[in-house]
Amino acid sequence: MRKGADSRLLFSCIVLCLLTAGCSSSGSKTSSSGLQFTAPLTGPTIESAQSVSLTVNEPVTWTWQNGSGFGKPIGQLTNQTPTSVTYVAPTVNPPFCGGSAPPPPLQATVVATSTADSTQSVSIVVTITQAQPCIVVASNVATVCPPSGTIILPTSIQIAPLFQAGVFALFTINDGGSQSHAPFGVAPFTWSLASGLLPSGLTLLPSADGSTVNIQGTPASSGCSVATLQITDATGATASEPIAFVVIPPALKVQVPSYPDSYVNTSTNVGVPYPPTAISVSGGLTPYTWAYNSTPGGVPDFPAGLCLSSSTSNVPSGCTSSAPPASSSVGFVWGTPLASNLGTEQNTGGPFTVQLQISDSQQPYPAVALPNLTSTVYPLQTSCPSAPDIQPSTLNGGTTGAGSVPANAYLQGSFAFLVRGFDANGPVAIAGSVVTDGNGGITGGAEDITRSAGSQSLTILSAGSSYSLGGSLRVSALGGPSAVYNRGCMTLANSGGTSTTFAFSLGGCSNSYTEGGAITTHDNACGMMLNGQGQNVAAGTYSTGRIIEFDDITGTGTRGAGILRLQDSSSFSNSGFSGLYAFGLAGQDSSGGHYALAGSTQASSGNLSSAAADIDDAGTLSSNLTGGSGTYNIGANGRGTATLTLGPTTLDLALYMVSSGEAIAITTDPLSSSHPIVSGEAIKASGPFNFATLQNSHMFHIGGLGPSGPDVSVGVLNFDGFGSLTGTAYQDQAATLGTTSLSGVYSMDSNTGRTTFSAPTINQTLGPHPFVAYLTGPPSTLTRANCSTPASCVTGFLVGIDGTAQDGILEFQTPTIAPPPPFGKQFIAGDYLYGNAESLDAATTNIDGSLSSDTNNLVSRSQNTSYANGSYCLQSDCLILLPEETFSSSSYTVNADGTGSFGSETASVTNGNVVFYIDESPLNLHPSVIVAEQ
């Protein structure tokens, strides 16, 4: 029985195979008599509900069956003729489209049996895909354009595809496939636009098999267009999708400066008025709209009491009625922080972070910027905090177990200083020298003070005088302060019965101390070494500094800024002041106009001769004065007196020797119509002078006083050594900014070093404030390494020849005997001290500070600030002193010629060791040149 059953099963299979033309699963089978399919020659693949015509080469009868050999046949045969038939695929409803793998295809076998010989047949397999082509896009793709005026953020995930005008972008669309399976539909695919247009600048770029398409390019302009994207597969099946292509304008450009933290006086529990910090926006189409991009709760996270002047939405209470006016291009943070901001952790509040949303007036979609502001509220510190001793480490050369070094040990010796500024009655100049003992004590010194009320020559008393080195840098709201050893303060008691307090920032170690090759003096001072008793001691002392008077809290005292220089006692005699000197002096006349002079003189054995100078008294010029003479006498303490006559002008001076190459000078005559109050420096010069004295590039700063206020510039001049020059000047005229490309010619007096500049050719210009220079004649071997001694890199003194009476400095930038380097950020890394070059009016803010920079940002900053102008702070009580202010980090730029920005809202120029920069904030109506030195 089992054998018979097996035989019947085998017979059934043979018959079945004969009926299905050889059990073929694809293609066709040709009979022995030549029956065959002529079209198509192989099994076709079609989509759901599509049809295909089949033909054979002789009359047949048609049948069809399920391609699997089992089950009911799918689809149907129509239009049958003896030699052709149409197969119609079943409808798969709905067509499959999604992210998972498509279902397997269906199959139908169409059989053609010869009418002449029923034993002959041929078959062909038709494959029916169950997943038609479809366009798969992100779920957030818009199909209609957002309404005109909609603010669309560059980071928006609500609208896709989102492009930005002028920025290359890429948006990928596929037909439903993924990396885990083949695409839906039948490859290859073609893509087209069934309707509409892509934004100008965008194109369709399909992949090789068309399974994906990139919409890419750089859109030319903002706007929105709806285009219907269509995909067609190899069977002719199509799918389409309308897509709204949104192009937003380029982002607005926002300058956020390195703004200060805010403070509360914990002794009175009252906030310190915040000096407004300007945030400038440009680009797009004015006017701009400002708003807080508020937290989910609707309240901006910002210190209570501080406000954004231009905000129109989510405005905190108390910020609307008294908000200062602002243009739509400038918003600023202002106000007075509340004591409630302070927390329990380090008695500090914050950090508070608020995001601003600034949009312009473009249509259909505004350009947007989203700057972040982070602020921390700190307790107001004392003006002279003490610093802990410096501990030995592998960085500072100290020996473990050999003890720490007191911070005060790094200020030891005799130091000369110059402070220029104003009191309630007019200009003030203070020059002097002070002897520090390395232990916080002052053993003596001398001081000359000249003001409108008269002049004093005073002795500095050790009793009541002292100094303290070490400030603080708040590294974070929760991390607490860290010591900054190149910051300090000094109180000088004098024989006139008064005392004066100064704050200062220091640098330029006498031992040229570095850490890892970078000049880094704020955390380890000037390093350590062992003394003869096996103890760590200071390896060097600070040699240069920026200093401000820091004791006027009423606006009736003196406010000014200047320099501090380590003195070389070997120059304390008449023989120490000998040879040719160039000099520059500046200040004010009795009418409140700016007074500037520059010149040169020969010094020998107490006599001044062959003096030459140019004087600009608020626009009244005394040009090319020659034949001047005078006398001088230098005492054993480094203080001297001098008289110098230049044409009709006679100056009585007090001198303080820094070295044989540098002296500080101030006039000692009471202010009158014939005697201005001026002060400055004299620096050793070397002649004879010729065109080759000026070669390659030099940087400069100048400043004067115009009708609207201080007018200052920084820039670079390139000399060819043959009489031609080019350059760039960046000007700030009481917050009105300008940039000028300079070009012209120069010539000089071989004996005096007087150099004139002119622009004789059409389109040549010397900028808004032409000037005359008196050169020092630097050696051809001068490099930027010498600039650690500031006077060594001064290449000339400048004096203006127009009504603003400009004065300034020409300084080394690139070596004479080598090509200028392309400057870059690597020139800036390290620590800097900084302060005003000259305060040009009584409302100028005086600062001294210390900052650190890496190759990307100004990463830390601490400064003492003397706000001397109530209108600048926009509050009546802004005549305040802020010790140890800390600031947010800020980026900087360095162009190949050394120009750039030393933080946002600044213009700067550098030689790698020194930076001249201007705070170009639109709120700074009383600018001054700031000098930063390493």
Side-chain angles (χ1 to χ4, degrees), residues 828 832 851 858 861 891-893 900-904 906 908 915 917 932:
I828 297 296
Y832 288 82
L851 64 83
L858 308 179
R861 179 179 294 186
S891 62
Y892 65 89
T893 61
S901 61
F902 204 58
S904 185
T906 65
S908 68
V915 180
Y917 72 95

Side-chain angles (χ1 to χ4, degrees), residues 206-549:
S207 60
D209 65 353
S211 60
T212 62
V213 66
N214 290 332
I215 300 170
Q216 65 182 51
T218 304
S221 59
S222 61
C224 178
S225 60
V226 177
T228 300
L229 198 63
Q230 180 171 288
I231 183 173
T232 305
D233 74 356
T235 71
T238 64
S240 61
E241 186 77 28
I243 301 177
F245 294 91
V246 178
V247 181
I248 60 175
L252 300 174
K253 182 180 180 181
V254 178
Q255 291 196 70
V256 177
S258 181
Y259 53 90
D261 289 307
S262 51
Y263 300 90
V264 170
N265 188 332
T266 53
S267 63
T268 61
N269 211 34
V270 174
V272 177
Y274 189 84
T277 297
I279 302 162
S280 302
V281 59
S282 59
L285 180 66
T286 58
Y288 304 103
T289 299
W290 297 66
Y292 294 100
N293 203 23
S294 62
T295 60
V299 179
D301 184 17
F302 213 45
L306 294 190
C307 314
L308 176 67
S309 66
S310 298
S311 180
T312 57
S313 63
N314 301 318
V315 179
S317 60
C319 290
T320 54
S321 59
S322 58
S327 71
S328 74
S329 299
V330 178
F332 49 90
V333 179
W334 68 286
T336 301
L338 303 182
S340 59
N341 288 300
L342 293 178
T344 57
E345 186 75 32
Q346 299 287 338
N347 198 22
T348 296
F352 302 91
T353 300
V354 64
Q355 186 178 71
L356 305 179
Q357 179 179 287
I358 311 168
S359 56
D360 74 350
S361 299
Q362 293 186 70
Q363 294 295 328
Y365 309 118
V368 181
L370 298 170
N372 287 318
L373 298 177
T374 299
S375 180
T376 303
V377 183
Y378 290 106
L380 185 67
Q381 289 211 60
T382 59
S383 60
C384 197
S386 60
D389 292 349
I390 303 177
Q391 302 300 316
S393 73
T394 56
L395 285 177
N396 60 30
T399 300
T400 302
S404 60
V405 179
N408 288 340
Y410 293 92
L411 193 68
Q412 185 170 0
S414 181
F415 290 83
F417 61 89
L418 171 66
V419 174
R420 299 186 284 188
F422 299 85
D423 63 15
N425 299 311
V428 178
I430 306 172
S433 64
V434 59
V435 182
T436 60
D437 66 1
N439 195 37
I442 291 174
T443 60
E447 184 178 36
D448 284 85
I449 304 174
T450 303
R451 61 182 79 239
S452 59
S455 180
Q456 294 175 288
S457 179
L458 304 168
T459 299
I460 294 176
L461 307 176
S462 58
S465 298
S466 64
Y467 74 92
S468 177
L469 212 62
S472 67
L473 178 66
R474 300 176 177 90
V475 293
S476 71
L478 301 180
S482 62
V484 177
Y485 295 98
N486 63 345
R487 307 270 287 110
C489 64
M490 178 185 301
T491 297
L492 301 182
N494 60 50
S495 56
T498 61
S499 64
T500 307
T501 299
F502 300 96
F504 51 75
S505 298
L506 304 171
C509 290
S510 61
N511 59 335
S512 301
Y513 176 74
T514 62
E515 292 180 16
I519 298 175
T520 305
T521 58
H522 80 266
D523 57 347
N524 282 303
C526 296
M528 299 181 182
M529 64 180 183
L530 288 176
N531 64 8
Q533 290 75 45
Q535 297 173 320
N536 287 321
V537 295
T541 185
Y542 290 116
S543 61
T544 185
R546 289 282 158 176
I547 184 171
I548 62 172
E549 186 163 344

Side-chain angles (χ1 to χ4, degrees), residues 580-582 683-690 692-694 698 748 750 752-755 774-782 791-797 810 816:
L580 179 65
Y581 288 83
I683 292 178
K684 195 72 170 284
S686 178
F689 304 94
N690 53 48
T693 304
L694 289 179
H698 298 241
M748 63 196 63
S750 62
T752 64
R754 181 179 187 267
T755 302
Y774 281 82
L775 304 181
T776 62
S780 61
T781 55
L782 183 63
S792 297
C793 283
V794 173
T795 57
F797 291 96
L810 190 67
T816 300

